[in-house]
Amino acid sequence: MYNKNIMKQLQGYVSRIDSIRVQLSDLSWLQGYATYYLEKVPYSFTTSDIFSTCISELIADLIKDNKKDSFNIYELGAGMGFLSRNILDTFKKTHPKFYKKTQYHVTDYAKPVIDEIKKLELLSGHKKNVSLKVFDVFKHKLNKLLPDLIFGVYLLDAFPVRHIEVENGEVYEIQVKTSITDNAVVFDTTCLPPKLLGFNDIKKLLKSNKKIKKSLMSRRVLDAVTEEYRRVPLDEIKGITKAELQDLRSFVDYLNPGKKIKFNYSYQMGNWLAQLLSRVSQESVIFFYDFGDNKFSKNEKIENMMLIAGSTAFYPVNFPYINFITNKMGFSYLQSEVENGCPQEVYICSQKNSKKIKTIIKEINIKEKMKNSLSSYMDFKHLMAKENDAAIKENIPKLAANKKLTHSILTTLTNHFYQKGDFIYAEKLAYMLQDKYYQLDYGSLLVLAQIYLRKERLEDAEICLDQAVEISKYIPSAYNYLSVLNYKQNLIEDYIKQSKLFLKYCRDNNFWKQLSLLAMIYYYSKKHTKAKRIIDWIIAIQKKHPNIVPKKDVLLLRDII
């Protein structure tokens, strides 16, 4: 019998950068573009027309006084490439003369992401002005970087950090220990029948070189683990270099805190930024847009020093540290003033250009436009709560005309009308998403597929689902709906194939219905041995964990036996 209080250690106390959560977060990006959809990584406002127009105007304001024949822009951490495409489309339309002299370098540290942007030809309309390259900001030496503008949107929050606490002048690192309960339930559905992993299985998996499998299993493992924390005096931290120690102590002296504080500290980011600033010209401008902290709290919970999106992890940016590095390198630091945790604008430039950049910041006014965008989203949420669909439909064209329809607004409303059974309007909004996001929006493709399956428009459903799988093979929902399609077409072998793919790529525990149906299909297609193996496994798991397996599925399968 299991003792719920027994905890088993998967990893001893380590720096946050070396923790299991961070290791699995890094691996999640092996799924490339699909990671944004699967893990619900926020990107709505920064892929909107409003934001891309702001960046386009920033570029135009910088380029109009530039006497060079070409203007080099480096976007670091381009991710899905939507922002790159939006900026280039907008800039080409609004400033065609400036566009012709622009060289736009689209970069990301994840090779699968760059490969997918190339495969999907997202930037094919700008071939003469664009280069695509893998650029790891953690490792790149920056020797050949000759930028006029460098910018990164949600880039700095990806740099690995240490959690630091300062109290009474003493500096500590807050380290992390990862454990798992003895009765944790972690399933591996990459095999049939699935396997219930024990402590040794999980530990073996985490130590293995099976990167893709660990990526697929990451959410289930992370849902089962717990973290504990301790603080370690700075002089007792193992593996920290003298240079990092000196930098951290200098930063604490710079802060001169009169009270206990906690903050994220990334020497890697500071060292990278210092290298970057040592290699750019006095005419270069650097722009970052990210969430983080302007002030530090003594009561900050460790859990709040990370932003978790599915199995991915991000770190609130330590803006005072960026200011510290910038000043040390002799540059001006300009920042928007908004609440802790909210997105901030940071501009780094030479002292002589600071007045000009201050003027540009006021003109493009990203902060106010972000507030207006959030207000529009909340207005729709309010109307949805009141079930005032007529008002929602009336407001959508107004926002569309003013280019204020963000991904969050369109996705939320598409799902809203689908759930209410208004398939005509849900279909209309889904196509708006497809048009706005270059036929690459997973969510709208899956909504369209469900609508067409309900209407028995099977060919249309198949086109949507094939397109979803072509974009990325890692989306389990696509295989689920393909199996439904195959069943309607009486294509049993195809149904089995799609069901197995769904189970392989499923990242949570919502697989019981699909597994039970697969067992039934095996049984009725006279594959009794395969059916019995799955059914016996489900019944055995239900006996061991009665609250895990839906009872209706077990009763149905018992009747089959």
Side-chain angles (χ1 to χ4, degrees), residues 165-300:
E165 184 172 83
V166 181
E167 184 176 18
N168 297 325
E170 295 297 322
V171 184
Y172 304 89
E173 179 183 25
I174 300 170
Q175 296 187 338
V176 185
K177 180 174 80 171
T178 307
S179 302
I180 193 166
T181 56
D182 197 39
N183 63 338
V185 178
V186 178
F187 293 107
D188 177 2
T189 56
T190 62
C191 53
L192 274 179
K195 183 178 179 182
L196 176 59
L197 301 185
F199 171 78
N200 289 331
D201 297 317
I202 295 170
K203 199 162 187 176
K204 183 179 178 182
L205 174 65
L206 292 173
K207 288 184 176 181
S208 74
N209 293 322
K210 298 176 180 178
K211 293 182 178 181
I212 293 295
K213 184 169 183 178
K214 283 194 285 188
S215 175
L216 294 173
M217 293 287 297
S218 60
R219 195 182 302 172
R220 289 176 184 159
V221 172
L222 290 171
D223 284 347
V225 304
T226 59
E227 291 185 341
E228 298 174 59
Y229 311 103
R230 71 174 184 186
R231 66 181 198 175
V232 179
L234 193 57
D235 294 333
E236 297 177 20
I237 299 172
K238 296 179 180 179
I240 189 169
T241 66
K242 288 183 179 179
E244 185 174 355
L245 275 171
Q246 184 178 353
D247 182 72
L248 178 52
R249 289 194 184 280
S250 296
F251 176 59
V252 173
D253 291 342
Y254 165 82
L255 291 175
N256 191 24
K259 61 180 181 179
K260 178 180 175 181
I261 59 171
K262 296 188 184 80
F263 57 82
N264 286 330
Y265 167 76
S266 176
Y267 176 68
Q268 210 164 4
M269 179 182 70
N271 190 42
W272 170 79
L273 181 57
Q275 282 191 56
L276 178 62
L277 292 174
S278 71
R279 287 168 170 80
V280 298
S281 75
Q282 287 293 303
E283 301 305 315
S284 299
V285 174
I286 300 171
F287 168 70
F288 296 121
Y289 186 82
D290 223 315
F291 73 100
D293 298 327
N294 297 317
K295 299 176 182 178
F296 305 129
S297 167
K298 65 178 181 179
N299 298 317
E300 187 73 68

Side-chain angles (χ1 to χ4, degrees), residues 41-49 51 80 86 154 370 373 377 405-411 436-437:
V41 176
Y43 61 85
S44 180
F45 176 68
T46 54
T47 58
S48 68
D49 293 330
F51 190 76
M80 295 181 293
N86 287 348
Y154 295 129
M370 170 66 174
S373 177
Y377 177 72
L405 280 178
T406 63
H407 188 271
S408 291
I409 291 173
L410 278 172
T411 299
K436 187 173 177 59
Y437 290 94

Side-chain angles (χ1 to χ4, degrees), residues 48-185:
S48 68
D49 293 330
I50 305 167
F51 190 76
S52 59
T53 299
C54 288
I55 304 300
S56 296
E57 292 310 306
L58 169 64
I59 296 169
D61 283 335
L62 293 174
I63 206 171
K64 66 185 179 184
D65 296 325
N66 191 287
K67 306 300 182 185
K68 296 194 302 184
D69 293 334
S70 64
F71 188 86
N72 279 284
I73 302 169
Y74 280 78
E75 181 185 355
L76 307 182
M80 295 181 293
F82 285 162
L83 177 59
S84 315
R85 170 70 179 266
N86 287 348
I87 291 171
L88 286 161
D89 284 353
T90 302
F91 196 57
K92 185 177 182 179
K93 182 178 180 180
T94 57
H95 300 283
K97 183 179 176 181
F98 292 159
Y99 171 83
K100 288 179 181 178
K101 67 181 289 188
T102 298
Q103 287 300 311
Y104 195 108
H105 306 272
V106 179
T107 76
D108 198 275
Y109 88 98
K111 187 175 184 297
V113 171
I114 292 297
D115 289 344
E116 285 185 348
I117 292 175
K118 290 177 180 178
K119 183 186 83 170
L120 298 169
E121 298 186 337
L122 191 59
L123 303 172
S124 59
H126 303 279
K127 286 183 178 179
K128 290 183 179 179
N129 300 75
V130 167
S131 71
L132 278 161
K133 61 185 71 176
V134 176
F135 185 104
D136 189 338
V137 295
F138 306 129
K139 299 175 182 177
H140 202 283
K141 297 300 181 183
L142 308 171
N143 292 329
K144 296 181 180 179
L145 201 60
L146 298 170
D148 295 291
L149 170 66
I150 300 173
F151 76 95
V153 175
Y154 295 129
L155 168 75
L156 301 180
D157 59 52
F159 276 91
V161 302
R162 295 182 189 271
H163 299 321
I164 299 296
E165 184 172 83
V166 181
E167 184 176 18
N168 297 325
E170 295 297 322
V171 184
Y172 304 89
E173 179 183 25
I174 300 170
Q175 296 187 338
V176 185
K177 180 174 80 171
T178 307
S179 302
I180 193 166
T181 56
D182 197 39
N183 63 338
V185 178

Side-chain angles (χ1 to χ4, degrees), residues 16-29:
R16 170 55 77 189
I17 184 176
D18 298 316
S19 67
I20 286 173
R21 178 170 288 282
V22 169
Q23 291 173 15
L24 292 178
S25 172
D26 291 345
L27 289 175
S28 69
W29 293 101

